[in-house]
């Protein structure tokens, strides 16, 4: 089986697990349960759970099945962040993953509460995974730190507060390292925790994830500038008041920054041990230069 088929099989395994483990509590609310599942079923790249599973595959492939609840927890947490990011108080976006955002399709209260539910349930999924308790504690520590006040949340707070105020490049990088890159870095580290890579390897993967996450943010800023909402599957050309890399550096400057980071990530990838390098390459090579 070639590499692409292996990765497709892993993605299909995750998608099947997701569809079989959607929140399914039924009450007399007319649509809340449907709203809970909407953005999860809408698709997306599944980049963070696939990063985590790719690391697991590199060293302890037999643990992939046991790791699926953790991968789903990552996707739940990421999806909650997108739902809240799209709210009227933040980006007021109309489209996400090719579908109407929840506050547009239903109402703002529903969107807020769906985000809250996905956030909290992500940790329930990890806590109930068939992994050792010590590993699950380390996974929860990693996700709460990088997805919470030390990571995504402070990044989002800075992003919203400094709208219409120009940040310096170091401040812009701080913003997006926290808002975007840290959850990507955590995904890699969580895979390393599950398959018990040593602390040095975990740190190397985490730092690689910071570079990779920053690259993804610059690429998203470029996509926002040059693609239509239909092409991107989400509201685009909506960043005029935001601190984006395109707004600060110009389109060509942002493309050069993405080129430089893509080369850096490719070079770092070459330094990993063979199994880890090959496992991550299967996923990453189609993404690293997606801005081109």
């Amino acid at each position: 089986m070639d590499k692409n088929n292996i990765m497709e099989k892993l993605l299909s395994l995750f998608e099947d697990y997701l569809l079989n483990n959607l929140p399914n509590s039924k009450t007399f609310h007319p649509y809340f349960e449907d709203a809970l599942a909407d953005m999860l079923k809408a698709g997306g790249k599944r980049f963070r759970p696939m990063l985590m599973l790719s690391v697991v595959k590199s060293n302890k492939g037999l643990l992939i099945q046991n790791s699926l609840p953790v991968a789903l927890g990552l996707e739940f947490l990421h999806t909650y962040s997108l739902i809240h990011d799209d709210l009227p108080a933040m980006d007021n976006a109309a489209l996400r993953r090719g579908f109407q955002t929840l506050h547009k399709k239903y109402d703002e209260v529903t969107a807020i509460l769906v985000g809250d539910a996905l956030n909290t349930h992500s940790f329930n999924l990890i806590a109930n995974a068939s992994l050792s308790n010590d590993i699950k504690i380390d996974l929860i520590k990693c996700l709460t730190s990088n997805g919470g006040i030390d990571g995504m949340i402070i990044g989002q707070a800075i992003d919203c507060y400094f709208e219409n105020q120009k940040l310096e490049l170091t401040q812009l990088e701080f913003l997006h390292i926290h808002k975007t890159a840290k959850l990507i870095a955590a995904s890699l580290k969580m895979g390393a925790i599950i398959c018990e890579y040593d602390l040095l390897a975990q740190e190397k993967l985490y730092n690689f994830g910071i570079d990779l996450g920053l690259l993804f943010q610059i690429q998203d800023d470029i996509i926002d500038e040059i693609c239509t909402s239909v092409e991107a599957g989400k509201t685009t050309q909506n960043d005029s008041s935001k601190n984006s890399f395109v707004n600060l550096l110009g389109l060509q400057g942002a493309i050069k920054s993405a080129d430089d980071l893509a080369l850096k990530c490719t070079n770092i990838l070459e330094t990993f041990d063979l199994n880890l390098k090959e496992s991550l390459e299967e996923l990453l090579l189609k993404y690293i230069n997606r801005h081109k």
Side-chain angles (χ1 to χ4, degrees), residues 32 80 83-84 87 103 107-117:
F32 185 77
Y80 121 73
I83 292 167
H84 280 196
L87 287 168
H103 69 275
D107 53 67
E108 189 174 357
V109 169
T110 296
I112 292 169
L113 292 175
V114 165
D116 291 344

Side-chain angles (χ1 to χ4, degrees), residues 102-165:
L102 295 189
H103 69 275
K104 294 287 188 182
K105 182 175 179 179
Y106 300 103
D107 53 67
E108 189 174 357
V109 169
T110 296
I112 292 169
L113 292 175
V114 165
D116 291 344
L118 294 178
N119 181 357
T120 52
H121 195 61
S122 65
F123 298 100
N124 182 274
L125 286 162
I126 296 170
N128 285 286
S130 296
L131 297 165
S132 78
N133 286 338
D134 285 347
I135 284 176
K136 288 189 288 189
I137 288 169
D138 284 344
L139 291 170
I140 290 170
K141 283 180 180 178
C142 184
L143 188 54
T144 52
S145 175
N146 290 281
I149 57 175
D150 296 324
M152 186 171 64
I153 300 303
I154 187 59
Q156 183 71 281
I158 290 170
D159 191 28
C160 292
Y161 183 83
F162 286 96
E163 279 191 20
N164 298 305
Q165 301 177 62

Side-chain angles (χ1 to χ4, degrees), residues 12-269:
S12 177
L13 182 68
F14 175 75
E15 292 286 0
D16 288 345
Y17 187 83
L18 183 153
L19 291 173
N20 288 321
N21 289 276
L22 290 168
N24 61 2
S25 60
K26 293 296 180 184
T27 69
F28 53 87
H29 193 289
Y31 51 75
F32 185 77
E33 286 79 9
D34 292 332
L36 262 176
D38 270 7
M39 278 298 114
L40 292 164
K41 292 192 295 185
K45 294 185 289 291
R46 313 299 193 200
F47 184 62
R48 290 151 190 82
M50 289 297 289
L51 271 179
M52 193 205 82
L53 292 172
S54 294
V55 176
V56 174
K57 180 172 75 70
S58 74
N59 193 41
K60 290 194 177 180
L62 292 176
L63 283 179
I64 285 175
Q65 191 68 40
N66 295 34
S67 303
L68 289 173
V70 183
L72 188 57
L74 262 172
E75 186 65 14
F76 271 37
L77 191 103
H78 174 57
T79 302
Y80 121 73
S81 75
L82 301 180
I83 292 167
H84 280 196
D85 195 41
D86 289 335
L87 287 168
M90 295 195 191
D91 285 353
N92 196 25
L95 197 67
R96 174 67 71 175
R97 292 175 170 171
F99 293 87
Q100 268 190 308
T101 48
L102 295 189
H103 69 275
K104 294 287 188 182
K105 182 175 179 179
Y106 300 103
D107 53 67
E108 189 174 357
V109 169
T110 296
I112 292 169
L113 292 175
V114 165
D116 291 344
L118 294 178
N119 181 357
T120 52
H121 195 61
S122 65
F123 298 100
N124 182 274
L125 286 162
I126 296 170
N128 285 286
S130 296
L131 297 165
S132 78
N133 286 338
D134 285 347
I135 284 176
K136 288 189 288 189
I137 288 169
D138 284 344
L139 291 170
I140 290 170
K141 283 180 180 178
C142 184
L143 188 54
T144 52
S145 175
N146 290 281
I149 57 175
D150 296 324
M152 186 171 64
I153 300 303
I154 187 59
Q156 183 71 281
I158 290 170
D159 191 28
C160 292
Y161 183 83
F162 286 96
E163 279 191 20
N164 298 305
Q165 301 177 62
K166 189 174 182 179
L167 295 178
E168 298 173 359
L169 181 58
T170 54
Q171 294 173 317
L172 182 65
E173 289 174 342
F174 180 95
L175 187 170
H176 289 299
I177 283 170
H178 286 73
K179 182 182 175 184
T180 300
K182 282 199 167 189
L183 192 58
I184 287 174
S187 304
L188 288 162
K189 185 174 180 178
M190 288 167 74
I193 289 169
I194 290 170
C195 57
E196 297 182 280
Y197 277 113
D198 63 37
L199 293 178
L200 188 63
Q202 290 182 28
E203 190 67 15
K204 186 175 180 180
L205 273 167
Y206 183 84
N207 291 334
F208 172 66
I210 294 295
D211 288 329
L212 187 64
L214 200 55
L215 170 61
F216 257 58
Q217 182 60 55
I218 299 171
Q219 290 172 331
D220 277 352
D221 289 352
I222 293 167
I223 289 166
D224 182 84
E225 179 71 15
I226 66 176
C227 292
T228 66
S229 295
V230 172
E231 290 169 331
K234 61 182 180 180
T235 302
T236 60
Q237 297 168 7
N238 195 39
D239 284 351
S240 60
S241 62
K242 290 278 188 178
N243 277 287
S244 77
F245 287 93
V246 170
N247 288 343
L248 184 64
L249 303 176
L251 179 58
Q252 293 308 311
I255 290 172
K256 183 182 183 306
S257 290
D259 287 342
D260 292 344
L261 260 179
L263 179 60
K264 181 181 180 182
C265 288
T266 302
N267 289 339
I268 294 172
L269 197 54

